[in-house]
Amino acid sequence: MSGSEKFVLLGKVVGVHGVRGELKLESYTEPRTQIFRYMPWRMRSAAGETVVEGGRGRAQGKGIVAELPGVTDRDAAAALVGTEIWVARSALPKAAPGEYYWADLEGLEVVTVEGRALGRVSHLIATGSNDVLVVRDAERERLIPFLPGRFVTAVDLDGGLITVDWDPEF
């Protein structure tokens, strides 16, 4: 993705629906149909990246069915299976106090409450019970539960720093 603007992965195409070019989507938004509020989409696959405006869709069962401009038959839809849906971070609403977008946490430096550097947030993992920070430095990778008030004592997005109450040897 070009430029310095940050993009956030919001979903992907997981299948086709019917013969008129409708797509089955997996959405990472809550509620899942919220994905249609954030346009334009940057559709990214091994074939490259395209910008899509004007997609619409509906919930169906446990998934979403979408219609995209220019995708009018099953073959065109099938060609998009596996494509990721990205949007500009700036298109998303401001997070509520104490809530964070994963994209805003990735790349932040992590230090202990004693000031010992542990590395940077590589990415996060959803475990079902809580999210986990994957923190890497030159020597190792640490998995730190993202539990504010318990292990995460402060998040300073402007300063690029997360402070944790964590044993550096763990």
Side-chain angles (χ1 to χ4, degrees), residues 40-58:
W41 289 351
R42 300 259 176 153
M43 306 281 292
R44 187 170 75 171
S45 70
E49 182 179 300
T50 58
V51 177
V52 173
E53 183 75 66
R56 56 191 188 127
R58 65 190 182 281

Side-chain angles (χ1 to χ4, degrees), residues 17 20 22-23 25 32-33 36 56-61 63-67:
H17 179 80
R20 291 181 284 177
E22 291 181 313
L23 303 162
L25 302 184
R32 65 184 184 246
T33 54
F36 297 104
R56 56 191 188 127
R58 65 190 182 281
Q60 179 150 344
I64 297 176
V65 174
E67 296 176 42

Side-chain angles (χ1 to χ4, degrees), residues 5-95:
E5 183 162 20
K6 209 174 214 181
F7 287 83
V8 178
L9 178 63
L10 286 191
K12 66 181 175 181
V13 179
V14 294
V16 297
H17 179 80
V19 295
R20 291 181 284 177
E22 291 181 313
L23 303 162
K24 291 181 185 177
L25 302 184
E26 180 179 347
S27 172
Y28 307 139
T29 63
E30 193 60 48
R32 65 184 184 246
T33 54
Q34 194 79 1
I35 194 170
F36 297 104
R37 296 192 59 167
Y38 310 120
M39 293 278 173
W41 289 351
R42 300 259 176 153
M43 306 281 292
R44 187 170 75 171
S45 70
E49 182 179 300
T50 58
V51 177
V52 173
E53 183 75 66
R56 56 191 188 127
R58 65 190 182 281
Q60 179 150 344
K62 293 186 178 191
I64 297 176
V65 174
E67 296 176 42
L68 299 182
V71 181
T72 58
D73 62 46
R74 189 172 181 85
D75 291 340
L80 293 173
V81 173
T83 300
E84 296 176 333
I85 301 167
W86 294 77
V87 298
R89 169 63 183 88
S90 60
L92 301 176
K94 184 175 168 80

Side-chain angles (χ1 to χ4, degrees), residues 69-133:
V71 181
T72 58
D73 62 46
R74 189 172 181 85
D75 291 340
L80 293 173
V81 173
T83 300
E84 296 176 333
I85 301 167
W86 294 77
V87 298
R89 169 63 183 88
S90 60
L92 301 176
K94 184 175 168 80
E99 294 183 358
Y100 307 94
Y101 287 105
W102 283 14
D104 294 340
L105 300 175
E106 292 170 352
L108 296 185
E109 185 176 344
V110 179
V111 298
T112 65
V113 290
E114 295 84 19
R116 181 159 171 204
L118 299 180
R120 293 193 175 273
V121 176
S122 165
H123 60 284
L124 287 94
I125 302 170
T127 65
S129 58
N130 58 270
D131 298 331
V132 175
L133 298 168

